[in-house]
């Protein structure tokens, strides 16, 4: 296992995007800034997507322009197409992310085109970004299962991951969108991808719908994966499984990694405080088990 792991905090984007009530821009800004101050090296700030489809991200330009940026921290934003990328670049983006899927049905439902079409759509985005000295991260959804197609073959995931890497993505994040994966399947998927993309360029993005996220992270660590996406307080439900949790909680991931003697650079106490604060505003309980336990101990 690597002795240091990089955590990409996705709470301000992936965590908030499904919140039913509008989250005020100043709250989003404070959340992003507090997470960076807690030692997270990458905080996904927003998504340059159509407000018609994701109303919560309608303030993307204001968010990106107004963040107090901490040196050494990256603030990636999602840009599904050239229009979104150009708006992000104008707002000062230094890193963008594109997102494809390993399932044809999910690709059609999510971005309204086939996998092959989505990859062609991303090419001009990646080229424009690299020409502008902006880093590009790639996401692959449904790497361990699809809500419409069921099981997804590891080779299909590897095909999309390789296409994104060859296109110029510095890293490819492998997303278990519906959280159905188990450690054995996660390992088989990563091994298939590692034949085409160096393991050091792969990241894990595991949802905790079935309570398997930490186990899948551990299995990935054993194969040398050293970057994981997570969300403070476990923000972000799974829209395909009613009442189910979505993103794995950053507090739980950090607690496990520190217990393994792995460095993250993240202050766990600060993180727990941030989780309590944002959940207070959203009027919900933190989904993080470690967060709740540490908070109870403090009291």
């Amino acid at each position: 296992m690597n002795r240091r792991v990089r955590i990409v905090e996705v709470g301000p984007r992936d965590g908030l995007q499904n919140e039913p009530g509008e989250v005020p821009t100043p709250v989003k800004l404070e959340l992003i800034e507090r997470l960076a101050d807690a030692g997270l090296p990458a905080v996904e700030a927003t998504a340059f997507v159509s407000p018609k489809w994701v109303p919560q991200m309608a303030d993307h330009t204001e968010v990106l322009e107004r963040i107090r940026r901490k040196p050494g921290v990256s603030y990636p934003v999602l840009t599904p197409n050239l229009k979104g990328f150009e708006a992000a670049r104008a707002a000062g983006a230094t890193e963008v992310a594109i997102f494809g899927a390993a399932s044809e049905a999910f690709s059609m439902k999510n971005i309204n085109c086939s996998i092959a079409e989505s990859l062609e759509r991303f090419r001009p985005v990646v080229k424009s970004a690299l020409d502008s000295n902006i880093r590009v991260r790639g996401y692959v959804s449904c790497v361990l299962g699809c809500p419409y197609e069921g099981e997804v073959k590891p080779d299909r995931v590897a095909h999309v991951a390789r296409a994104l890497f060859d296109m110029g993505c510095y890293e490819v994040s492998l997303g278990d969108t519906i959280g159905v994966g188990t450690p054995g399947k996660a390992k088989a998927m990563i091994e298939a991808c590692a034949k085409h993309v160096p393991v050091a360029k792969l990241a894990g993005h595991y949802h905790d719908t079935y309570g398997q996220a930490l186990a899948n992270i551990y299995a990935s660590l054993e194969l040398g994966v050293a970057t994981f996406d997570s969300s403070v307080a476990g923000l972000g439900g799974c829209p395909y499984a009613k009442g189910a949790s979505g993103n794995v909680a950053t507090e739980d991931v950090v607690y496990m990694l520190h217990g393994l003697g792995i460095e993250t650079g993240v202050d766990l106490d600060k993180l727990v405080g941030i989780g309590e604060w944002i959940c207070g505003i959203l009027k919900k309980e933190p989904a993080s088990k470690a967060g709740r336990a540490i908070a109870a101990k403090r009291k």
Side-chain angles (χ1 to χ4, degrees):
M1 287 187 193
N2 288 280
R3 298 326 304 161
R4 189 170 181 90
V5 157
R6 174 174 166 264
I7 294 177
V8 177
E9 171 59 55
V10 300
R13 195 278 305 172
D14 200 3
L16 294 183
Q17 71 179 10
N18 288 323
E19 281 298 314
E22 187 187 340
V23 181
T25 305
V27 170
K28 292 176 184 171
L29 291 168
E30 186 174 346
L31 177 61
I32 293 163
E33 290 167 6
R34 286 179 67 165
L35 288 164
D37 288 340
L40 284 148
V43 183
E44 199 174 63
T46 186
F48 281 75
V49 291
S50 166
K52 186 174 120 184
W53 300 114
V54 191
Q56 193 66 260
M57 299 286 119
D59 58 354
H60 44 57
T61 297
E62 193 182 352
V63 166
L64 193 57
E65 285 178 346
R66 286 180 55 193
I67 300 166
R68 169 178 54 79
R69 298 188 188 220
K70 190 177 178 189
V73 175
S74 57
Y75 300 90
V77 297
L78 252 60
T79 55
N81 50 39
L82 209 45
K83 186 183 173 189
F85 167 73
E86 280 160 2
R89 178 173 56 189
T94 54
E95 180 176 330
V96 299
I98 53 178
F99 48 100
S103 145
E104 288 290 356
F106 190 85
S107 185
M108 288 303 298
K109 292 264 187 186
N110 198 36
I111 50 177
N112 203 26
C113 62
S114 70
I115 292 171
E117 285 167 340
S118 74
L119 294 171
E120 284 312 307
R121 192 184 284 179
F122 296 146
R123 278 183 211 287
V125 177
V126 177
K127 185 181 184 311
S128 295
L130 298 180
D131 287 348
S132 305
N133 208 20
I134 293 171
R135 300 206 310 162
V136 187
R137 192 173 195 244
Y139 278 108
V140 187
S141 303
C142 296
V143 299
L144 292 168
C146 168
Y148 313 110
E149 287 182 16
E151 204 160 322
V152 173
K153 295 271 188 291
D155 288 351
R156 286 175 66 187
V157 183
H159 165 73
V160 181
R162 180 175 181 164
L164 292 172
F165 184 68
D166 287 350
M167 217 179 274
C169 292
Y170 78 90
E171 182 172 82
V172 180
S173 175
L174 304 164
D176 182 11
T177 310
I178 53 171
V180 292
T182 51
K185 286 181 177 174
K187 276 190 161 177
M189 181 270 296
I190 287 163
E191 282 165 348
C193 290
K195 288 175 185 168
H196 304 279
V197 179
V199 134
K201 303 292 185 183
L202 296 173
H205 182 115
Y206 299 113
H207 282 214
D208 205 31
T209 318
Y210 286 78
Q212 301 296 298
L214 288 178
N216 291 337
I217 288 171
Y218 191 88
S220 307
L221 284 166
E222 289 187 315
L223 292 179
V225 177
T227 300
F228 296 96
D229 302 350
S230 61
S231 178
V232 66
L235 292 179
C238 180
Y240 307 100
K242 227 171 177 44
S245 56
N247 293 300
V248 66
T250 309
E251 299 92 320
D252 296 352
V253 177
V254 171
Y255 181 80
M256 180 180 81
L257 293 173
H258 289 183
L260 290 166
I262 294 171
E263 290 174 34
T264 63
V266 179
D267 183 321
L268 182 54
D269 280 334
K270 276 188 181 176
L271 198 55
V272 170
I274 298 165
E276 284 189 292
W277 166 76
I278 189 63
C279 285
I281 288 171
L282 299 174
K283 295 183 171 46
K284 62 187 347 178
E285 280 293 309
S288 163
K289 285 190 165 65
R292 290 205 299 261
I294 292 165
K297 211 170 170 184
R298 275 186 196 156
K299 285 168 187 161

